[in-house]
Amino acid sequence: MSPPRQVFIAVIGAGGVGKAFLHQLSGLASRLSQSPSSPYRLSLIWLSTSNKAVYHADYKSLSDWEAELETNAKPSLALPQLQDYLVKAPGKVVLVDNTSNQDVANAYPTFLNRGISIVTPNKKAFSGNLQLFNDIFAAAANGSNSSGAGGHVFHESSVGAGLPVISTLKDLLETGDEVTKIEGVFSGTMSFLFNSFQPTSGGGGRFSAEVTNAKNKGYTEPDARDDLNGLDVARKLTILARLAGLPVESPTSFPVQSLIPAELESCQSGDDFLEKLPQYDAQMDALKQEAASEGKVVRFVGSVDVPANAVKVGLEKFDATHPIAALKGSDNIIAFYTKRYGDNPLIIQGAGAGADVTAMGVTADLVKVLRLLH
Amino acid sequence: MSPPRQVFIAVIGAGGVGKAFLHQLSGLASRLSQSPSSPYRLSLIWLSTSNKAVYHADYKSLSDWEAELETNAKPSLALPQLQDYLVKAPGKVVLVDNTSNQDVANAYPTFLNRGISIVTPNKKAFSGNLQLFNDIFAAAANGSNSSGAGGHVFHESSVGAGLPVISTLKDLLETGDEVTKIEGVFSGTMSFLFNSFQPTSGGGGRFSAEVTNAKNKGYTEPDARDDLNGLDVARKLTILARLAGLPVESPTSFPVQSLIPAELESCQSGDDFLEKLPQYDAQMDALKQEAASEGKVVRFVGSVDVPANAVKVGLEKFDATHPIAALKGSDNIIAFYTKRYGDNPLIIQGAGAGADVTAMGVTADLVKVLRLLH
């Protein structure tokens, strides 16, 4: 029996997801250290926020990161210096990027090429320009890096948080199934908004009132327009489409319906926008009435039609008995239509946002990377 | 760049799932051999049916197993001799057990202890007596075999065929979530039967007529009593409950409702049973009416209540808008209620039976094992 291997963990980001992840990491590290048969021991050696960092030159474990961040923080290192620090660690390193930062994402290929594995919910790495996506998987040991020296990269939480969306798509493809269509509700905000705007049981408020309600309940970004423009959903569809083999150039290279009335795009602030939105309720009311007259409801969905090489995001009407219509609360739903599964798709459903379930996807990815490190 | 590693595959069973798997294996082997960056090459070195086998003493690949099985088959080897043959192969070996044979299942611990990995949909290995389940995971490198010399074992298709049920449960547990309840429809036969017997839209035939209809459409075992006794569902619940940490002794150690009227248990044949079943329709009709009067429908479900250490299988009533009620065709649905996911469970839904989707789960498990072999 070989002694347990020390694996070094570096975490960027200590916001909502970052804190939830650090909590899960501490539980995981403690379970592993208590299991005599576990071949790994985990050591947190780096934690940085947007402007400060805690780490030790001798790679000593950050046993109490909260206290150290409070009392012992230094200015953060630039990414190349962070890489230099990490590659010299006396063992394998996994970088956990819990930010949505484009600069960190841009550095993934060099981290991977230098043997550092990455787990992350950061959508920008996989939905930005296609070259970055290709560079990441060309550098990764679980992509096409044939030297075997690269790090592994996993990003389950970049779509549907902890729901097993990306792993399921990969299983379908790797076993030779043909994925024909992926369709679903990919935004907790949009889910909550439309489940309230037009419940299958009838009723529901005016659109602007439901947006304000969703914002007040904390379901939207600080500026609700960041949800209503559809870009968050477009990013997730870009990721799934690319994994399914479509060379999607960017999240703005296919039709994305924005729910921001053209006249309000130039509003100075989110509050100004919310104040003026009621003037445009008639449009959304008309859509709702039209759907209702057909026994349907309106939902904000995304879809990838693989054979047609077509991706789109926007409003669609669904029969009240359709699983997409019957969604509850702020749940996501993702349906995979494939040759093997036939008429009834493989469906994954549940909370697709929130710090704990997003961090869960990251932690599960970390466990997968640990198994691959040897 | 190291040369690709040869991994040797031994397959037991060439029935519906076995044939579908061999087809998928051939696709996988060919994709891997065409990928310059793939670190593996696959070789099929053993294929056996219930009474014959094809293999070569020099471990030469079975390039055309269908023809060889036809023209070149030998009597099969006993399991200890098969092990002796496989452990001498010049590389890592994965045994794919596509049977539902108890004897093969009983031999898993010795296969694993001798370094042979196992992927299988065989429920009997994980739902029979608890000692066998414990022995399997004590021997497995991904269980608690601390020598690191054991094989890996994966069995996704033992519950819900290719649906990501077991992998999702493991992710939830390994990341420290608390699973409170697992509930769902775990049998394609029972799903089809009750979706027809009491559709949410009303109507549906008498119970005996729907059983005959399901049998005629090929949705039941040759003897429909093998579905109606609930044992197949009980086996799946046993597996999930044990993975969730409950020491379930056997699939008959908790309440399982059989839909075979007590008076018909002694019927000589399945046909005799089907002929007499209509005499007992009144009971099922009464249940259906009772449910309908409450705005509900009857479904055959299984559930694991983890904190209460309680497993049960049988008929329950669900609101017509409940995801379990709204299931279509012969789909399975599995809902995980956990601390992190809160009121709205994580749901997996889709075909839970059929040769292609069962084989898909086996093939996906094989890919996972390949990544772990080094």
Side-chain angles (χ1 to χ4, degrees):
Chain A
M1 177 182 179
S2 34
R5 280 189 295 275
Q6 198 74 26
V7 176
F8 298 94
I9 312 293
V11 178
I12 306 184
V17 174
K19 285 205 170 73
F21 169 78
L22 288 161
H23 182 74
Q24 292 179 21
L25 175 67
S26 138
L28 176 66
S30 134
R31 286 191 300 278
L32 291 175
S33 70
Q34 281 156 25
S35 157
S37 68
S38 160
Y40 328 104
R41 295 292 180 269
L42 303 184
S43 240
L44 177 67
I45 55 164
W46 169 275
L47 172 61
S48 59
T49 65
S50 48
N51 53 27
K52 55 189 183 174
V54 280
Y55 62 102
H56 300 289
D58 61 358
Y59 303 98
K60 190 161 76 75
S61 220
L62 302 170
S63 48
D64 183 354
W65 60 267
E66 275 180 305
E68 295 209 53
L69 203 57
E70 202 62 49
T71 62
N72 201 17
K74 311 172 203 181
S76 193
L77 297 177
L79 291 165
Q81 280 69 54
L82 171 58
Q83 286 181 12
D84 291 342
Y85 168 69
L86 294 179
V87 291
K88 287 178 198 147
K92 299 279 185 180
V93 176
V94 182
L95 175 72
V96 183
D97 173 18
N98 285 324
T99 74
S100 56
N101 185 302
Q102 185 71 57
D103 292 332
V104 179
N106 290 343
Y108 285 5
T110 47
F111 275 100
L112 291 166
N113 271 325
R114 298 182 78 178
I116 296 166
S117 293
I118 296 173
V119 297
T120 184
N122 187 345
K123 286 188 280 289
K124 295 209 176 117
F126 309 94
S127 64
N129 76 68
L130 181 58
Q131 190 61 49
L132 176 60
F133 179 91
N134 289 336
D135 288 349
I136 288 171
F137 289 101
N142 56 333
S144 56
N145 183 334
S146 57
S147 78
H152 300 270
V153 62
F154 285 87
H155 57 105
E156 183 61 84
S157 284
S158 63
V159 180
L163 298 175
V165 177
I166 288 176
S167 54
T168 298
L169 176 57
K170 285 190 175 172
D171 281 353
L172 290 166
L173 296 168
E174 283 177 345
T175 62
D177 201 355
E178 285 167 38
V179 176
T180 50
K181 190 167 84 161
I182 307 169
E183 181 183 49
V185 173
F186 293 87
S187 152
T189 310
M190 291 296 201
S191 181
F192 182 82
L193 191 51
F194 282 89
N195 298 345
S196 312
F197 174 62
Q198 189 169 26
T200 49
S201 52
R206 301 203 78 184
F207 188 68
S208 61
E210 295 297 350
V211 172
T212 301
N213 178 38
K215 180 175 157 60
N216 291 341
K217 288 193 166 150
Y219 282 113
T220 69
E221 297 292 323
D223 184 338
R225 288 176 297 181
D226 291 337
D227 292 300
L228 296 177
N229 64 16
L231 183 61
D232 170 72
V233 177
R235 285 192 179 280
K236 293 168 183 165
L237 271 289
T238 301
I239 296 172
L240 295 179
R242 286 174 178 173
L243 293 175
L246 301 186
V248 177
E249 196 47 50
S250 84
T252 55
S253 63
F254 54 85
V256 177
Q257 183 179 1
S258 169
L259 300 184
I260 302 171
E263 298 85 344
L264 297 187
E265 293 205 343
S266 55
C267 278
Q268 296 288 316
S269 71
D271 287 345
D272 183 29
F273 165 75
L274 282 181
E275 206 167 288
K276 289 177 178 152
L277 189 58
Q279 301 167 23
Y280 301 87
D281 275 338
Q283 274 174 271
M284 291 298 286
D285 278 341
L287 276 174
K288 178 161 149 176
Q289 294 319 320
E290 182 191 306
S293 71
E294 301 168 20
K296 296 183 174 181
V297 295
V298 175
R299 294 292 183 262
F300 192 86
V301 298
S303 66
V304 181
D305 179 331
V306 181
N309 189 8
V311 186
K312 64 180 174 177
V313 167
L315 294 172
E316 303 217 6
K317 294 177 282 184
F318 291 89
D319 280 334
T321 58
H322 192 286
I324 285 181
L327 212 56
K328 300 267 194 311
S330 62
D331 278 3
N332 284 14
I333 183 168
I334 296 95
F336 295 99
Y337 293 81
T338 82
K339 190 174 169 198
R340 282 188 202 134
Y341 278 90
D343 291 338
N344 289 351
L346 189 171
I347 293 176
I348 314 275
Q349 182 180 325
D356 282 343
V357 295
T358 303
M360 173 202 149
V362 179
T363 308
D365 279 350
L366 173 60
V367 171
K368 292 184 176 82
V369 169
L370 291 178
R371 296 212 177 94
L372 297 174
L373 294 178
H374 47 84
Chain B
M1 177 182 178
S2 34
R5 279 188 296 274
Q6 198 75 25
V7 176
F8 298 94
I9 313 292
V11 179
I12 305 183
V17 174
K19 284 206 172 72
F21 170 77
L22 287 161
H23 182 74
Q24 291 179 22
L25 175 68
S26 138
L28 176 66
S30 133
R31 285 191 300 278
L32 290 176
S33 71
Q34 281 157 25
S35 156
S37 68
S38 159
Y40 328 104
R41 295 292 180 268
L42 304 184
S43 237
L44 178 66
I45 55 164
W46 170 275
L47 172 61
S48 58
T49 65
S50 48
N51 52 26
K52 54 188 184 175
V54 280
Y55 63 101
H56 300 288
D58 61 357
Y59 304 97
K60 190 161 76 76
S61 220
L62 301 170
S63 48
D64 184 353
W65 60 269
E66 275 179 306
E68 297 209 51
L69 202 57
E70 202 62 49
T71 62
N72 201 17
K74 311 172 203 180
S76 193
L77 298 176
L79 291 165
Q81 280 69 54
L82 171 58
Q83 286 181 13
D84 290 341
Y85 168 69
L86 295 179
V87 291
K88 288 178 197 146
K92 298 279 185 180
V93 177
V94 183
L95 175 73
V96 183
D97 173 18
N98 285 325
T99 74
S100 56
N101 186 301
Q102 185 71 57
D103 293 332
V104 180
N106 291 343
Y108 285 4
T110 47
F111 275 101
L112 292 165
N113 271 324
R114 297 181 78 177
I116 296 166
S117 293
I118 296 172
V119 297
T120 184
N122 187 345
K123 285 188 280 289
K124 295 208 177 118
F126 309 95
S127 64
N129 75 68
L130 181 58
Q131 189 60 48
L132 176 59
F133 179 91
N134 289 336
D135 287 350
I136 289 170
F137 289 102
N142 56 333
S144 55
N145 183 334
S146 56
S147 79
H152 300 269
V153 61
F154 285 87
H155 57 106
E156 183 61 83
S157 284
S158 62
V159 180
L163 298 175
V165 176
I166 289 177
S167 54
T168 298
L169 176 56
K170 285 190 174 173
D171 281 353
L172 290 166
L173 296 169
E174 284 177 345
T175 60
D177 202 355
E178 286 168 38
V179 176
T180 50
K181 189 167 84 161
I182 307 170
E183 181 183 49
V185 173
F186 293 87
S187 152
T189 311
M190 292 295 201
S191 181
F192 182 81
L193 191 51
F194 282 89
N195 298 345
S196 313
F197 173 62
Q198 190 169 26
T200 49
S201 52
R206 302 204 78 184
F207 188 68
S208 60
E210 294 298 350
V211 172
T212 302
N213 178 39
K215 180 175 157 59
N216 291 342
K217 289 194 166 150
Y219 282 114
T220 69
E221 296 292 323
D223 185 339
R225 289 176 297 182
D226 291 337
D227 292 300
L228 296 177
N229 64 16
L231 183 60
D232 170 71
V233 177
R235 285 193 179 279
K236 293 167 183 166
L237 270 289
T238 301
I239 296 172
L240 295 180
R242 286 175 178 173
L243 293 174
L246 301 186
V248 176
E249 196 48 49
S250 84
T252 55
S253 64
F254 52 85
V256 177
Q257 182 178 4
S258 169
L259 300 184
I260 303 171
E263 299 85 344
L264 297 186
E265 294 205 343
S266 54
C267 278
Q268 296 288 316
S269 71
D271 287 345
D272 183 28
F273 165 75
L274 282 182
E275 208 166 285
K276 289 177 178 152
L277 189 59
Q279 301 166 21
Y280 301 86
D281 276 339
Q283 274 174 271
M284 292 298 287
D285 277 342
L287 276 175
K288 180 160 147 175
Q289 294 319 321
E290 182 191 306
S293 72
E294 301 168 20
K296 296 183 175 182
V297 294
V298 175
R299 294 293 183 262
F300 193 85
V301 298
S303 65
V304 181
D305 180 331
V306 181
N309 189 9
V311 186
K312 64 181 173 176
V313 168
L315 294 172
E316 303 217 6
K317 294 177 282 184
F318 291 89
D319 280 333
T321 57
H322 193 285
I324 285 182
L327 213 57
K328 299 267 195 311
S330 61
D331 278 4
N332 285 13
I333 183 168
I334 296 95
F336 294 99
Y337 292 82
T338 81
K339 190 174 168 197
R340 281 188 203 134
Y341 278 91
D343 292 337
N344 289 350
L346 190 170
I347 292 176
I348 314 275
Q349 180 180 327
D356 282 343
V357 295
T358 304
M360 173 203 148
V362 179
T363 308
D365 278 350
L366 173 60
V367 172
K368 291 184 177 82
V369 168
L370 291 178
R371 296 214 178 94
L372 297 174
L373 294 178
H374 47 83

